[in-house]
């Protein structure tokens, strides 16, 4: 299994995958992409990752791999890159696409607005998942083929209203594509990575 190693939380994702029994390798070249059967696109800066994908000539091969059914998990910036449509992007910003969603970039605000929360995530057993939101996006619209896995609740654990974020989609799946607005790799909760490892294992059997 690969972790796109151009920018972002590469080591943290690799450690989370190792914790669920998966061997993770860094992907920076086309040959490395062709050697793996699933890829994590980590958080970071979506515009920077977009530029680096083109610089390293990985954008077209990764787009083709997605179209051919390779399992891909995108967290935070990775969610933006998996979206077919984005809102709040810069001029010329492109995505890999594959998920029939409209994602709003930096929807939760700036770095100082970062927060952690416990969220119920469909398909993840064992109770709420500890999540971290850092300059995170959210999904504004999801097509009929997209399974919503988690939303921001109307009220927080301390009883405060969630405001404009209430009800927004922050985890979704479409086929073998998985995306979260949050960073599970930095909270120590590896169950989302276990979910993705299961998608990769299922794809090997099919």
């Amino acid at each position: 299994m690969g972790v796109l190693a151009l920018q972002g939380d590469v080591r943290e994702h690799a450690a989370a995958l190792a914790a669920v029994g998966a061997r993770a390798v860094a992907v920076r070249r086309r040959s490395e992409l062709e050697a793996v059967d699933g890829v994590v696109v980590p958080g970071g800066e979506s515009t920077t990752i977009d530029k680096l994908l083109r610089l390293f000539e990985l954008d077209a091969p990764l787009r083709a791999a997605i179209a051919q059914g390779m399992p891909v998990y995108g967290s935070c910036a990775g969610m933006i890159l998996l979206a077919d449509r984005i809102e709040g992007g810069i001029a010329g910003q492109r995505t890999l696409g594959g998920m029939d969603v409209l994602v709003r970039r930096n929807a939760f605000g700036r770095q100082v607005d970062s927060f952690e929360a416990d969220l119920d995530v469909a398909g993840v057993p064992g109770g709420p998942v500890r999540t971290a939101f850092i300059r995170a996006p959210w999904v504004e619209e999801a097509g009929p083929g997209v399974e919503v896995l988690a939303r921001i609740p109307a009220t927080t654990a301390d009883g405060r209203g969630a405001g404009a974020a209430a009800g927004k989609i922050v985890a979704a799946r479409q086929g073998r594509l998985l995306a979260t607005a949050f960073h599970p790799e930095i909270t120590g909760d590896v169950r989302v990575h276990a979910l993705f490892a299961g998608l990769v294992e299922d794809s090997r059997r099919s």
Side-chain angles (χ1 to χ4, degrees), residues 53-67:
L53 281 167
R54 298 185 226 179
L55 180 65
F56 282 78
E57 298 182 342
L58 274 172
D59 54 333
L62 189 48
R63 202 172 283 116
I66 289 170

Side-chain angles (χ1 to χ4, degrees), residues 4-123:
L4 186 66
L6 303 181
Q7 194 225 15
D9 299 336
V10 178
R11 286 181 297 178
E12 291 84 353
H13 276 292
L17 289 170
V20 299
R23 179 177 173 269
V25 298
V27 171
R28 298 185 186 89
R29 301 175 179 83
R30 182 170 186 160
S31 59
E32 293 164 343
L33 176 64
E34 292 171 346
V36 299
D37 48 13
V39 174
V40 173
V41 180
E45 173 53 57
S46 61
T47 55
T48 299
I49 297 173
D50 171 36
K51 292 174 183 175
L52 290 172
L53 281 167
R54 298 185 226 179
L55 180 65
F56 282 78
E57 298 182 342
L58 274 172
D59 54 333
L62 189 48
R63 202 172 283 116
I66 289 170
Q68 292 162 11
M70 175 182 278
V72 179
Y73 166 42
S75 69
C76 197
M79 170 184 265
I80 297 169
L81 286 159
L82 287 180
D84 283 344
R85 304 173 300 283
I86 56 174
E87 204 167 274
I90 66 170
Q93 183 175 357
R94 299 189 303 185
T95 69
L96 296 166
M99 292 192 77
D100 183 14
V101 293
L102 169 65
V103 170
R104 180 183 290 275
R105 186 169 167 263
N106 293 339
F108 286 93
R110 299 173 298 168
Q111 192 87 9
V112 295
D113 300 309
S114 302
F115 66 97
E116 292 192 10
D118 295 315
L119 294 178
D120 291 318
V121 180

Side-chain angles (χ1 to χ4, degrees), residues 104-168:
R104 180 183 290 275
R105 186 169 167 263
N106 293 339
F108 286 93
R110 299 173 298 168
Q111 192 87 9
V112 295
D113 300 309
S114 302
F115 66 97
E116 292 192 10
D118 295 315
L119 294 178
D120 291 318
V121 180
V124 176
V129 174
R130 188 64 177 173
T131 64
F133 290 81
I134 304 170
R135 294 181 62 205
W138 66 45
V139 175
E140 289 277 3
E141 301 171 1
V146 176
E147 179 186 1
V148 175
L149 302 183
R151 294 179 183 267
I152 295 292
T155 57
T156 61
D158 59 7
R160 293 182 298 171
K168 295 299 185 182

Side-chain angles (χ1 to χ4, degrees), residues 155-204:
T155 57
T156 61
D158 59 7
R160 293 182 298 171
K168 295 299 185 182
I169 300 166
V170 291
R173 175 186 171 187
Q174 184 173 357
R176 292 174 179 165
L177 301 180
L178 175 67
T180 65
F182 51 81
H183 295 263
E185 75 279 3
I186 64 175
T187 65
D189 193 327
V190 299
R191 287 175 291 162
V192 172
H193 290 82
L195 174 63
F196 180 62
L199 295 181
V200 176
E201 186 60 33
D202 288 345
S203 75
R204 290 177 183 146

